[in-house]
Amino acid sequence: MRAVAVAHPNVALIKYWGKRARAGNLPATGSLSLVLGGLTTTTSVRFEPGRRGDLVLLDGREDPETSARVTACLDLLRREASVTHGASVESRNDFPTGAGLASSASGFAALVTAGAAALGLSLPAPRLAEIARTGSGSAPRSLQGGLVLLTNRESTTVCEQVATPADWPLEVVIAVTTTGPKAISSREGMARSAQTSPYYDQWVSTHGHDLSAALAAVRDRDFPVLAELAEHNCLKMHAVMQTTRPPLLYWQPATLACLHRIRALRDAGLPVFFTVDAGPQVKAVCLPGAAPEVARELSRLEGVRQVLQSPVGEGARVSAAGD
Ligand code: PMV
């Protein structure tokens, strides 16, 4: 009744920001992401017969909002296994939690992988992805490795691996500018953007083009085209965020300094582009070989506290099972 799983966060190159339905946590758009193999979440789940309720520790601490989302996910697994046992869950990240490094994606991918194994369930991959999605819209993308395409279907989403880590061994340099958890969760931020940003509808209606063009660029391994599309899509999402009321201004001065430096490096011939999620950290996606110089350049900028490097990683997997 116990299993441990590991999963990595992912970074979207073509992003999702907004829901089409709150029920089932369905995204308004598809997305295309890359799994960050250098950052790891490890989650242990133990179901205890006779236990009422779940105990959820994230980096050693209890948080009511996280616990409620974890319990909702575990309820779906319990229903699949026809059991009612409460669980104790312990999850640790080897990187800053809740600060725009997609810890919710790796967290829920590891949770459902460990939870299903602990219950002896071998669910079809699409069902496991649906359960992970109820916890975090980006979590299904961390169940698979490499570059992953998430597309909308009538009442669900499907994920497909479009390149393995070996197919396109990109490297990501992560510039950490602030490490505190963000003030507004992505879930709350998306709801506010949909209600108040004058650009939200255009974000959704122009998204399909970005996604199909980026998918073609990945299939052609066309880095310059992917670079232009990913930066455009990222800045479009941040334009929606910044024009939300009250504004979601996730950037720090160091965030902007990184964006300028990455553009200058690319103009100087280095194969690198940026992307930024709901936080102040910058991810610089590089062709193999460019990462050391990008890391050196970003670490010199004022306000950059830490620079991490990550290869493209594998999907979530069970690392230990049994009592
Ligand atoms: O999965 P969530 O609910 O934490 O939302 C993720 C949203 C972004 O990271 C900003 C974009 C994305 O597609 O990952």
Side-chain angles (χ1 to χ4, degrees), residues 1 47 74-75 77-86 119:
M1 298 242 92
F47 288 96
L74 292 180
D75 282 346
L77 290 174
R78 281 186 275 253
R79 200 170 307 155
E80 294 282 348
S82 308
V83 299
T84 55
H85 320 314
L119 290 170

Side-chain angles (χ1 to χ4, degrees), residues 7 33 39 55 141 171 216 236 274 279 303:
S33 68
L39 279 56
L55 172 69
R141 301 188 315 230
E171 286 166 21
K236 197 161 50 171
F274 66 73

Side-chain angles (χ1 to χ4, degrees), residues 10 12 15-17 19 31 104 136-139 141 186 190 237 241 277-278:
N10 65 75
K15 301 190 181 289
Y16 122 76
W17 189 254
K19 318 268 186 212
S31 50
S104 65
S136 159
S138 53
R141 301 188 315 230
S186 299
M190 288 179 198
M237 178 182 76
M241 291 166 159
D277 286 318

Side-chain angles (χ1 to χ4, degrees), residues 205-264:
S205 65
T206 59
H207 199 278
H209 169 267
D210 294 356
L211 193 59
S212 47
L215 182 61
V218 169
R219 294 210 157 118
D220 295 345
R221 310 280 185 268
D222 190 334
F223 191 85
V225 168
L226 184 63
E228 197 279 322
L229 281 162
E231 289 189 353
H232 169 69
N233 188 264
C234 164
L235 292 174
K236 197 161 50 171
M237 178 182 76
H238 282 274
V240 171
M241 291 166 159
Q242 290 170 11
T243 50
T244 293
R245 288 180 158 163
L248 301 164
L249 194 49
Y250 289 113
W251 296 357
Q252 293 294 321
T255 313
L256 195 53
C258 289
L259 304 195
H260 282 297
R261 184 57 57 90
I262 290 166
R263 288 184 66 82

